Amino acid sequence: KQWYQRRVRGRVRRKKKSGNRLSHSGNIYNCKKSNDIFLKELASELGIDPELQDITPSHNSPLSSLFCDPDKMKIWLVFIDSTEDAQDEMLTVSPEVESNSRYKKISKSIRSELENIPCKTIKQFEKDIYSVVSDMGYESVVVLSAATKTDRVAIVAISQYSRLKCTSHLPISAVEVELKRKRFTKPSVPLSELLLCH
């Protein structure tokens, strides 16, 4: 075996050449070696053959849990054997559930302010935003004038409810609404309608 020396930050580090690879005689090598010994001892205490088994716990993905659970597998088989229309119907969420989940996406501070805004104002901004956003392409931006706090809160609430990104620009009294998805899907229950029910 041959020995090589290399100067690293003022110290001499020795490396031993064995075959085609260099093995370090430093702390990292010793630490790895002691970890390997510890794991082999632990495996032998637990009665595990380290050469045949992986001693790390396995992770169950959602797909593997589908195949392991017979009840889930029955539901999956019914789903894949159904027609495309039946599958769409199974995946369709009721308008009430959808509107409630969208409403929860609105920040709490904006939700608390919504009580003070007339439904007529919200309805008008919905009409304006939806007419413009429906014609916009992917990653397009529209800037709306928000002269008052009420206007700004209404625009932000509608944007969050509709899953649009919005940014308020207070110095210029404007709100920037951005479409971050490839296609805009108008909510089945508009926010103005939902607020009448609350």
Side-chain angles (χ1 to χ4, degrees):
K1 295 184 181 183
Q2 299 172 347
W3 291 88
Y4 292 97
Q5 289 186 353
R6 189 175 74 168
R7 188 165 290 281
V8 179
R9 291 187 193 156
R11 294 185 342 204
V12 174
R13 186 167 193 155
R14 300 178 76 189
K15 292 184 180 181
K16 180 173 54 170
K17 186 174 182 181
S18 63
N20 291 333
R21 64 187 179 101
L22 293 173
S23 58
H24 294 275
S25 59
N27 290 336
I28 295 172
Y29 176 77
N30 291 334
C31 187
K32 285 181 180 180
K33 192 73 171 165
S34 66
N35 285 345
D36 188 45
I37 292 168
F38 171 74
L39 287 174
K40 285 182 180 177
E41 287 174 359
L42 181 64
S44 66
E45 286 176 18
L46 296 173
I48 299 172
D49 185 2
E51 302 301 322
L52 299 176
Q53 292 180 328
D54 184 8
I55 58 174
T56 58
S58 62
H59 169 70
N60 284 340
S61 69
L63 185 62
S64 65
S65 69
L66 172 72
F67 293 115
C68 293
D69 187 354
D71 294 331
K72 288 180 183 177
M73 195 62 191
K74 285 178 190 174
I75 294 168
W76 174 249
L77 290 172
V78 168
F79 179 78
I80 60 170
D81 287 339
S82 302
T83 64
E84 199 170 310
D85 293 333
Q87 287 178 354
D88 286 342
E89 192 175 306
M90 288 179 201
L91 295 174
T92 303
V93 178
S94 71
E96 298 86 28
V97 172
E98 179 201 359
S99 60
N100 284 332
S101 93
R102 284 178 178 265
Y103 185 73
K104 288 178 185 171
K105 295 283 183 189
I106 301 173
S107 67
K108 288 182 181 179
S109 59
I110 298 291
R111 273 189 273 169
S112 65
E113 295 281 336
L114 279 174
E115 299 168 0
N116 306 325
I117 300 175
C119 270
K120 181 180 162 188
T121 305
I122 294 173
K123 200 171 218 166
Q124 183 58 47
F125 276 114
E126 277 179 331
K127 184 180 170 191
D128 295 345
I129 291 171
Y130 294 155
S131 66
V132 173
V133 171
S134 298
D135 297 334
M136 286 177 18
Y138 177 59
E139 292 192 350
S140 297
V141 176
V142 63
V143 178
L144 300 167
S145 174
T148 65
K149 180 182 177 184
T150 303
D151 293 350
R152 190 176 70 254
V153 169
I155 294 169
V156 170
I158 294 164
S159 299
Q160 290 178 352
Y161 182 79
S162 305
R163 298 186 175 126
L164 298 166
K165 183 182 178 207
C166 66
T167 309
S168 291
H169 300 284
L170 295 175
I172 60 170
S173 299
V175 178
E176 184 181 302
V177 178
E178 189 175 352
L179 178 62
K180 296 293 276 182
R181 296 167 182 245
K182 295 212 184 273
R183 204 178 90 228
F184 174 69
T185 307
K186 189 175 169 183
S188 55
V189 178
L191 180 60
S192 54
E193 231 176 85
L194 180 70
L195 291 174
L196 290 173
C197 300
H198 274 89

